[in-house]
């Protein structure tokens, strides 16, 4: 289970990191900061649009990750969640 306080803390840490940090570096930093938490970082455009974020800020959308079965899936159920997907938001540059 992932509690709402943890979700908010993860979002706060993401918001405090440089936007130029690579997905891999951010993922490593989050895993170090939140020992034992499964974290996947990707571009938010890579998350299926049918899935609603459980938390959002100007830098990212967060989604629950369920790794209880053979295949990892996204879920809306905090009780089934075993990790988080950080969908990084990008600004369009014209």
């Amino acid at each position: 289970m992932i509690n709402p306080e943890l979700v908010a803390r993860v979002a706060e840490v993401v918001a405090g990191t440089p936007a130029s940090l690579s997905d891999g570096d951010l993922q490593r930093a989050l895993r170090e900061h939140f020992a034992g938490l499964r974290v996947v970082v990707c571009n938010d455009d890579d998350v299926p649009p049918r899935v609603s974020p459980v938390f959002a800020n100007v830098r990212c959308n967060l989604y629950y990750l369920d790794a209880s079965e053979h295949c990892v899936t996204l879920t809306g159920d905090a009780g089934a969640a075993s990790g988080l997907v950080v969908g990084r938001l990008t600004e369009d540059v014209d």
Side-chain angles (χ1 to χ4, degrees), residues 14-28 41 59 88-91:
V14 172
T17 61
S20 60
L21 196 63
S22 74
D23 290 354
D25 287 341
L26 176 58
Q27 185 168 293
R28 279 187 287 284
V41 176
R59 295 281 307 283
R88 294 177 85 175
L89 300 172
T90 58
E91 293 182 32

Side-chain angles (χ1 to χ4, degrees), residues 11 28 37 44 54 56 64 68 90 93:
R28 279 187 287 284
L37 178 66
D44 195 62
V54 297
Y64 291 133
S68 62
T90 58
V93 178

Side-chain angles (χ1 to χ4, degrees), residues 4-75:
E5 293 81 18
L6 176 60
V7 173
R9 288 192 348 250
V10 169
E12 184 178 317
V13 170
V14 172
T17 61
S20 60
L21 196 63
S22 74
D23 290 354
D25 287 341
L26 176 58
Q27 185 168 293
R28 279 187 287 284
L30 290 171
R31 287 178 177 173
E32 288 175 11
H33 195 274
F34 299 99
L37 178 66
R38 293 176 189 213
V39 180
V40 176
V41 176
C42 64
N43 187 299
D44 195 62
D45 291 339
D46 294 332
V47 178
R50 64 178 163 69
V51 180
S52 298
V54 297
F55 192 96
N57 65 23
V58 297
R59 295 281 307 283
C60 67
N61 289 325
L62 299 179
Y63 305 88
Y64 291 133
L65 180 70
D66 180 359
S68 62
E69 299 294 325
H70 176 72
C71 294
V72 176
T73 61
L74 297 173
T75 182

